[in-house]
Amino acid sequence: NGGTDIVQAPTRYRFRLLDTDGYENMDPMWYPVTLIRDRPPTVAIVVPGRDEQIEAGNSLPLAVDARDDFGIGDVRIVYRVNNLTTARQLVRFPRSPTIDSRAVHEFDWDLGRTGIGAGDVVQYWATVTDRNDQTGPGTAESRRYSIFVVTPEQELAKLQMQLDDYAAVLEELIRLQRSNRAQTASGIGFETLVLRQIKIRTNTAVLARAMRQGTLPVATMIEALDELYAGLMADVVRLLE
C-alpha cells in the first residue's frame, strides 16, 4: 500500500500476488528477516601514528582513518596541553553528504597558531560517531599520542647524542674489522673469521638504516656505509668462504 511499517525482527515475509482474473499465486515462498547488531565505529591516527618531538614553531601533518559498518558521522581531533583536564577541539571534519563506511581526513597542525610553545607537552586523539539514529550513535576514540615541544637548544643536544651513539658504533665496527684483518694474517681458522665478518657487514647495514631514519644531515656517510656493505665487505665474506 506504499506505507512504511516498523518490522520487529526476527520474522519472515512473503509476496501475495493477485492477477487480473482474481487468481492468487499458489504457495508463495517465505523469506527470513534477521537482525544484525550495529557495531561501533573505529578511528585511528595513521599519520604520524606515534609520539613526536617537535621544535617550537613547526607544524605536524596528521591523517585520520575512520570506519563503520553503516556510515561515518562526525570525525574530530581533540587535544589538551600540559596538566589541563579539559580537551579542546582542534578540527572537526565536514560530514560527507553520502553515507560512507570509511573516511580518511588530513590536517596540517600549526602548533604556534594554537598557542603551543617550547616546553609544552600535548596529548591528542581522534573521535568518531556513526550514523545510527535508532540505538546510537556509536562512538569511539583513537589511541592517544603525545607531542613534546622542544627548544632549538634541546634539539641540538638530541642531535649531539645521536652523533655520539653513531660514533660509538662506528668505533666498534672499525675495531672488529682491524681484528679480523690481523687474525687473517696469523692463520686463524676461517670459520671464526667468516662469522665475525658477517657480523661486521650486518651491523654496517643496520647502522646505515638507523642513520637514514634519523634527522642528521649525514647522506654522504650513509652512502659510504651502503657501498661498504654491498661492495668490499661482501667481497671479503666471499673470499673467506
Side-chain angles (χ1 to χ4, degrees):
N1 57 11
T4 300
D5 295 324
I6 297 177
V7 178
Q8 298 292 329
T11 186
R12 60 179 185 163
Y13 69 96
R14 64 180 179 178
F15 295 102
R16 300 185 63 182
L17 305 176
L18 188 67
D19 66 16
T20 56
D21 294 327
Y23 293 102
E24 291 186 0
N25 56 324
M26 299 295 294
D27 193 23
M29 181 179 295
W30 286 100
Y31 299 94
V33 177
T34 58
L35 183 66
I36 299 176
R37 186 176 298 277
D38 179 48
R39 297 191 299 271
T42 62
V43 63
I45 296 176
V46 293
V47 176
R50 61 179 182 270
D51 296 337
E52 289 282 359
Q53 276 195 5
I54 300 178
E55 189 173 329
N58 287 348
S59 297
L60 179 66
L62 302 174
V64 178
D65 187 349
R67 307 186 187 205
D68 187 65
D69 56 344
F70 177 68
I72 298 298
D74 293 324
V75 180
R76 301 185 305 149
I77 300 176
V78 297
Y79 71 100
R80 61 186 179 198
V81 183
N82 299 327
N83 296 323
L84 294 179
T85 57
T86 304
R88 305 172 184 172
Q89 178 174 291
L90 176 63
V91 61
R92 177 179 176 179
F93 298 103
R95 180 183 290 208
S96 172
T98 59
I99 298 178
D100 300 322
S101 60
R102 183 184 182 190
V104 177
H105 300 286
E106 297 180 347
F107 182 75
D108 194 37
W109 188 358
D110 185 338
L111 299 178
R113 294 188 64 179
T114 48
I116 297 170
D120 285 334
V121 178
V122 184
Q123 188 180 56
Y124 68 100
W125 62 99
T127 67
V128 63
T129 62
D130 64 17
R131 300 200 187 194
N132 179 354
D133 58 2
Q134 297 298 316
T135 60
T139 62
E141 290 185 356
S142 73
R143 177 181 171 181
R144 301 189 178 197
Y145 294 102
S146 296
I147 302 171
F148 304 93
V149 186
V150 298
T151 63
E153 292 77 17
Q154 289 173 316
E155 189 68 16
L156 183 61
K158 175 186 172 184
L159 293 177
Q160 185 60 53
M161 288 181 62
Q162 285 183 314
L163 280 173
D164 291 344
D165 291 341
Y166 294 155
V169 175
L170 278 171
E171 288 176 0
E172 177 62 13
L173 288 173
I174 292 170
R175 185 191 67 80
L176 289 172
Q177 189 65 65
R178 285 174 175 168
S179 177
N180 237 29
R181 182 181 299 174
Q183 292 183 1
T184 299
S186 67
I188 195 170
F190 275 0
E191 182 178 352
T192 301
L193 297 175
V194 168
L195 291 175
R196 184 182 295 153
Q197 193 63 43
I198 291 173
K199 177 182 178 181
I200 294 169
R201 184 169 180 253
T202 301
N203 288 349
T204 299
V206 170
L207 177 60
R209 285 197 300 269
M211 295 173 76
R212 184 177 293 109
Q213 293 169 0
T215 57
L216 292 173
V218 288
T220 303
M221 190 181 299
I222 294 170
E223 184 179 344
L225 289 171
D226 283 338
E227 288 178 357
L228 274 175
Y229 171 79
L232 291 176
M233 288 185 173
D235 293 340
V236 170
V237 172
R238 284 194 292 269
L239 286 171
L240 290 175
E241 290 176 338

